[in-house]
Amino acid sequence: MKKMHIAAALTATAALVLTGCSATGGDNGDAGGKTTIVVDMWAGSEDDTAALKAQVAIAQEQNPDLKIETRSAPWGDFFTKLTTNMASGNMACVTGMNSGMLSSYTAGFAKLTADDLKAAGIVEEEFAPGAFEILSNKGDVYGVPFDMATMLTYYNADMLAETGAPVPAVGWTFDDFEATAKAATTPEHAGFGIGMGGFQWQALPISKSGVQPATKDGKLDLTNPAFVEAATWYGELVTKQKVALPVASASDTGWGESQYSSGMAAMAVDGTWNAVGYLDNDPGFKAGMAPLPAGPEGSLGLVLGSGFGISKDCKNKPEALKVLGSLLSVDAQNYIASSGRSYPARVSSQPLYFESLPAEYRAQVEEAFAAAFANVQGQYVTDNWSKVDTYVQPQLVSVYNGDETMKNVLETAQSQFGK
């Protein structure tokens, strides 16, 4: 199964070697007198390389007066080198960014104004509702997304049929979720695969409580009573309701997703980026998907994704904005959508994504996506959010094993990182 986690899934780029940019921020005149604009992105595979080249080719065709170079590296290496380049003022003019990583790198990006977007030929209304929240932080826009994602509930339809468990559907509630998880739990498999990744474990508590563990203005809010109650409920899916198996170790970061994809759990929560991979899974079970169950205030999800921004040190910003606009143009978005690689942020291109899917999956994916994206918020994070995530994740093992309470973990993280 071609399964990808969030760190690698929201990409459309190449496995080239990322080298340091020039002191001009990655743009300098070449021998032919053209201005060179460097595009930096993370990498994954040869397919990603081809996808990036295709998008850059579109940008190059639309900007024949410029020379566009591409530099890239694997996910972890990319951000390690980006940290170095940001500190030294050597970021490329056009740099890729992911919504989950933005808070650590806002200092390296220029805030995009309405005039900047106009210069790039980007019209916000042509993008899906919530799209511009993806690469925004504390109300400022730092980039424009090329794709968007949110979290879904995936289920093993064969397991549900065998156990007679209710099938998740649009409009289902947390009572429905519990009924399905309990009915699908047997001595052979769990009703639910508990999450370890930040997006995976937080998704149900956020939807159930209707609040995020941080505020819109970037303050840590892990001890919000509603979130603590919902997060405690989540941990107790293992310890009290016993519809999920405890996690073996902190290194099992994709525990719930692996349980599901291997046929050991009837349900799991993961991102829209894995929709096609789960439907076309190696074990061959019939898979389905539904939006997150609804809490008292409805189903609340996060809108996630990746895109491009302009480095603060870019010396040729007008040219860089042209490249940015081309990378987010209709042609580039249509390419992403038609390839089925990811769900585009531009509204007019989204139907092409569904058309690219196998006919037997198309209607279900479109229905689940429409419901899941109907009520989303941009992710609220603190400036040190990556440290919060790094601290909480390994503690979840103790929570799921009953050796620690979710409340204590959240209170400790709040006291350490909430100042």
Side-chain angles (χ1 to χ4, degrees):
M1 178 176 168
K2 306 176 186 70
K3 186 171 183 303
M4 301 170 288
H5 295 293
I6 182 100
L10 303 177
T11 69
T13 52
L16 306 175
V17 177
L18 178 66
T19 58
C21 301
S22 71
T24 61
D27 51 345
N28 55 294
D30 65 9
K34 293 183 177 180
T35 297
T36 298
I37 298 297
V38 177
V39 177
D40 258 352
M41 247 298 185
W42 54 91
S45 66
E46 291 183 4
D47 287 344
D48 290 337
T49 302
L52 178 64
K53 287 181 178 179
Q55 292 171 80
V56 170
I58 292 170
Q60 185 66 80
E61 183 178 359
Q62 293 181 3
N63 298 277
D65 56 324
L66 303 175
K67 180 181 179 182
I68 305 174
E69 292 184 354
T70 306
R71 296 173 182 170
S72 188
W75 173 268
D77 292 343
F78 174 85
F79 284 99
T80 297
K81 293 175 180 179
L82 179 57
T83 299
T84 300
N85 287 339
M86 187 173 75
S88 60
N90 290 331
M91 280 177 62
C93 268
V94 181
T95 296
M97 184 45 58
N98 172 264
S99 59
M101 301 294 290
L102 176 62
S103 64
S104 298
Y105 295 95
T106 53
F109 285 91
K111 297 176 183 178
L112 296 180
T113 65
D115 287 341
D116 291 333
L117 296 177
K118 183 177 180 180
I122 293 172
V123 179
E124 184 173 348
E125 289 72 24
E126 294 176 357
F127 289 73
F132 274 69
E133 294 183 47
I134 292 173
L135 293 178
S136 293
N137 185 267
K138 300 177 185 177
D140 294 316
V141 177
Y142 291 91
V144 182
F146 58 73
D147 68 3
M148 57 193 302
T150 192
M151 306 303 285
L152 295 176
T153 307
Y154 293 93
Y155 60 88
N156 184 321
D158 294 337
M159 279 189 187
L160 300 188
E162 290 170 6
T163 58
V167 177
V170 173
W172 70 322
T173 66
F174 276 89
D175 286 342
D176 298 326
F177 172 87
E178 289 186 17
T180 296
K182 290 174 181 177
T185 299
T186 72
E188 290 75 33
H189 54 71
F192 179 67
I194 204 77
M196 282 288 286
F199 295 124
Q200 285 77 7
W201 83 261
Q202 291 174 35
L204 289 181
I206 288 173
S207 187
K208 187 175 176 65
S209 65
V211 298
Q212 295 193 42
T215 62
K216 190 172 185 178
D217 58 356
K219 295 178 181 177
L220 194 61
D221 198 24
L222 286 169
T223 51
N224 180 299
F227 184 78
V228 172
E229 181 180 357
T232 297
W233 166 87
Y234 185 78
E236 290 176 349
L237 292 173
V238 183
T239 59
K240 287 190 176 181
Q241 300 203 46
K242 299 189 183 302
V243 297
L245 296 175
V247 180
S249 74
S251 63
D252 292 316
T253 55
W255 176 261
E257 307 94 282
S258 295
Q259 289 272 295
Y260 171 72
S261 63
S262 64
M264 296 302 294
M267 294 188 293
V269 168
D270 203 5
T272 51
W273 56 87
N274 269 334
V276 176
Y278 283 136
L279 290 168
D280 184 22
N281 59 80
D282 285 343
F285 61 81
K286 183 179 179 181
M289 64 185 68
L292 301 177
E297 304 300 322
S299 179
L300 174 63
L302 302 182
V303 61
L304 313 167
S306 297
F308 297 98
I310 305 297
S311 68
K312 188 178 292 184
D313 296 319
C314 179
K315 303 302 181 185
N316 289 319
K317 186 176 180 180
E319 291 81 2
L321 286 170
K322 290 182 180 180
V323 174
L324 176 71
S326 293
L327 290 172
L328 279 303
S329 66
V330 172
D331 288 345
Q333 287 278 276
N334 284 352
Y335 166 77
I336 290 175
S338 299
S339 68
R341 293 183 58 79
S342 59
Y343 191 51
R346 186 178 283 273
V347 173
S348 65
S349 301
Q350 291 178 346
L352 296 176
Y353 172 80
F354 299 115
E355 292 174 14
S356 76
L357 304 178
E360 63 267 32
Y361 305 143
R362 197 172 298 155
Q364 181 181 195
V365 175
E366 189 165 4
E367 180 185 31
F369 275 41
F373 282 106
N375 187 25
V376 292
Q377 288 180 347
Q379 184 186 16
Y380 303 155
V381 296
T382 63
D383 292 339
N384 59 356
W385 186 252
S386 61
K387 294 180 180 179
V388 177
D389 227 11
T390 300
Y391 171 79
V392 171
Q393 186 178 58
Q395 306 304 317
L396 294 176
V397 176
S398 296
V399 173
Y400 299 154
N401 281 282
D403 297 327
E404 182 58 282
T405 67
M406 184 71 81
K407 184 174 184 289
N408 285 344
V409 170
L410 297 179
E411 287 179 346
T412 302
Q414 181 74 35
S415 66
Q416 288 189 26
F417 305 107
K419 298 178 181 179

